[in-house]
Amino acid sequence: MKKATFLMFSRSLPANLFGVIAILFACGGARAQAPDIDAAKKEGSVIVYGSVVPQAMQINAGFEKKYGVRVEYWRADSTSIMDRALTEWRAGRPGFDVLEGARAPQIIMKREGMFASYNPPSAEKFPEQFKEKDGLMTAWRALPMSILYNTELVMAGEAPKKWDDLLDSKWRGFIGMPDPSLHATTATFLWSLKKTMGERWLDFARGLAKQKPRMVSALAPVTDQIIRGEVRVGITYIKFVKQYKGPLDYVLMDQHLADPNYMSVGSKARHPNAGKLYMEYACSQEGQKAMAAEAEFVLYPGITPAVKNADKVAQTMSLMEVPTGEELKKLMDNFHTIFSGT
């Protein structure tokens, strides 16, 4: 799989982006397979492990209403999803039909042989460059990151403008973020800052640790910290400004690192037909519109998320780097030393 600099979400984006995308994404994809709706209905339910907060996972209700197939949804951050799924898989008792999550953990599980090849027909409408050749993972949304802040505690003109601004002494003790020694996406994010900072990324990480950030288990709880005023700024997803109620805004940057999220059907799924139908619905225009209304940056052409300046974010997105499993473990171990001092 090749890396990408920009994601395309709308036909209205500048034409020169198309050429950049075409060069940087891998081409081709597995042939689309229409799901067996009758067989899915007979199975009656689908078990999904996903990273989207329940209040924003609008496809679940829409899917149940349309097909009469119950969705059993277990939500956690992508790292926890990987840990649970791997434990079940290695014990010979996989409990999932569909896994949804961030790029790096999903690739690790793919290499374990946990996914069956399936390419939803609606995903054929996505930019060609997003299509996996083996059909084992289907990209269906992307998650750009930025600095979110409490608008009651921080005036817009006083908010950080770029990542380096977080190293200002005035933010010491008032920054929220996931613990990069425990949270794979945050570890990947910090490592990927080398795309904009070069070798300074590690100095930035060390400087951030010296700011004594208030660390939590995942990206969603960072937003809760900001809303409650426990911190003034935080490192998390842009979409949370819409998905959480509270005094929130985000910093529009020159470049936004983003993590594409994928869905995969389990190679030993108990409800394989329902799993495939669920994935197809998630990638359909109906499903993608429902998610975009909840501020998700989806991939269906012409659908824009309900976020201020979403078009500008889409044009300035750069995909995070993907560490191998060994690299990720080493990264997280190093971050344990940097952020805990042990």
Side-chain angles (χ1 to χ4, degrees):
M1 184 190 318
K2 296 182 180 180
K3 308 299 187 295
T5 302
F6 296 110
L7 297 177
M8 175 169 58
F9 297 94
S10 171
R11 297 185 191 278
S12 62
L13 295 184
N16 63 324
L17 285 181
F18 289 70
V20 174
I21 295 168
I23 293 171
L24 296 175
F25 271 99
C27 296
R31 179 175 295 179
Q33 308 158 44
D36 188 330
I37 298 176
D38 290 338
K41 289 182 176 181
K42 287 180 181 178
E43 290 172 353
S45 65
V46 59
I47 301 170
V48 181
Y49 294 178
S51 61
V52 182
V53 292
Q55 66 267 29
M57 198 62 164
Q58 293 299 314
I59 55 173
N60 288 350
F63 177 80
E64 290 182 336
K65 182 178 180 180
K66 186 168 186 174
Y67 297 110
V69 178
R70 186 176 73 256
V71 179
E72 298 180 27
Y73 186 69
W74 181 74
R75 190 267 163 187
D77 64 89
S78 293
T79 306
S80 297
I81 290 171
M82 177 182 68
D83 290 343
R84 175 174 175 170
L86 281 171
T87 298
E88 292 177 350
W89 177 262
R90 290 167 180 171
R93 298 190 298 273
F96 56 87
D97 298 313
V98 173
L99 288 178
E100 188 276 341
R103 195 179 189 192
Q106 206 83 351
I107 288 176
I108 291 171
M109 291 186 286
K110 168 183 169 179
R111 291 170 178 162
E112 288 273 331
M114 296 168 64
F115 303 151
S117 180
Y118 176 64
N119 189 29
S122 288
E124 289 289 287
K125 298 179 177 66
F126 296 171
E128 185 69 25
Q129 300 84 0
F130 279 102
K131 299 169 187 174
E132 296 285 325
K133 292 182 179 180
D134 55 18
L136 294 172
M137 295 165 48
T138 298
W140 74 296
R141 65 181 182 130
L143 294 89
M145 295 181 69
S146 185
I147 300 167
L148 270 60
Y149 61 94
N150 186 310
T151 56
E152 293 178 352
L153 300 176
V154 180
M155 300 297 292
E158 300 173 347
K161 300 295 188 297
K162 57 185 185 299
W163 295 112
D164 282 325
D165 291 346
L166 289 176
L167 303 187
D168 190 303
S169 59
K170 70 180 180 180
W171 304 119
R172 184 179 173 87
F174 295 108
I175 301 170
M177 64 177 290
D179 185 342
S181 70
L182 301 174
H183 190 248
T185 300
T186 302
T188 301
F189 161 74
L190 291 173
W191 185 59
S192 297
L193 283 172
K194 62 186 178 181
K195 296 182 74 172
T196 57
M197 296 182 176
E199 293 306 312
R200 286 196 310 109
W201 75 270
L202 188 55
D203 291 334
F204 170 79
R206 290 173 175 145
L208 189 61
K210 291 178 181 178
Q211 291 288 70
K212 302 298 180 184
R214 300 189 183 189
M215 296 190 293
V216 289
S217 61
L219 289 156
V222 173
T223 312
D224 291 321
Q225 287 182 302
I226 299 170
I227 292 172
R228 292 194 296 262
E230 296 171 4
V231 298
R232 297 174 186 171
V233 297
I235 299 172
T236 189
Y237 293 136
I238 291 174
K239 64 176 187 161
F240 289 150
V241 299
K242 170 70 168 59
Q243 294 178 358
Y244 284 74
K245 293 182 179 180
L248 291 170
D249 204 351
Y250 77 96
V251 177
L252 182 64
M253 298 185 173
D254 293 334
Q255 190 175 44
H256 300 85
L257 285 172
D259 196 13
N261 270 39
Y262 296 82
M263 281 191 183
S264 300
V265 64
S267 57
K268 296 182 180 179
R270 285 184 285 169
H271 311 101
N273 295 294
K276 292 175 182 178
L277 185 60
Y278 181 87
M279 285 180 59
E280 161 60 16
Y281 183 77
C283 295
S284 71
Q285 185 177 37
E286 181 180 346
Q288 295 266 289
K289 279 185 176 179
M291 296 305 294
E294 292 296 324
E296 296 290 346
F297 287 74
V298 294
L299 305 182
Y300 203 100
I303 298 179
T304 305
V307 175
K308 178 183 66 177
N309 292 320
D311 57 336
K312 295 179 181 178
V313 173
Q315 293 178 50
T316 56
M317 273 201 272
S318 177
L319 291 189
M320 295 183 196
E321 299 285 349
V322 182
T324 64
E326 184 177 334
E327 286 174 331
L328 183 60
K329 183 182 184 304
K330 184 177 179 180
L331 268 176
M332 296 172 79
D333 287 345
N334 287 342
F335 285 138
H336 178 74
T337 300
I338 291 171
F339 282 84
S340 70
T342 58

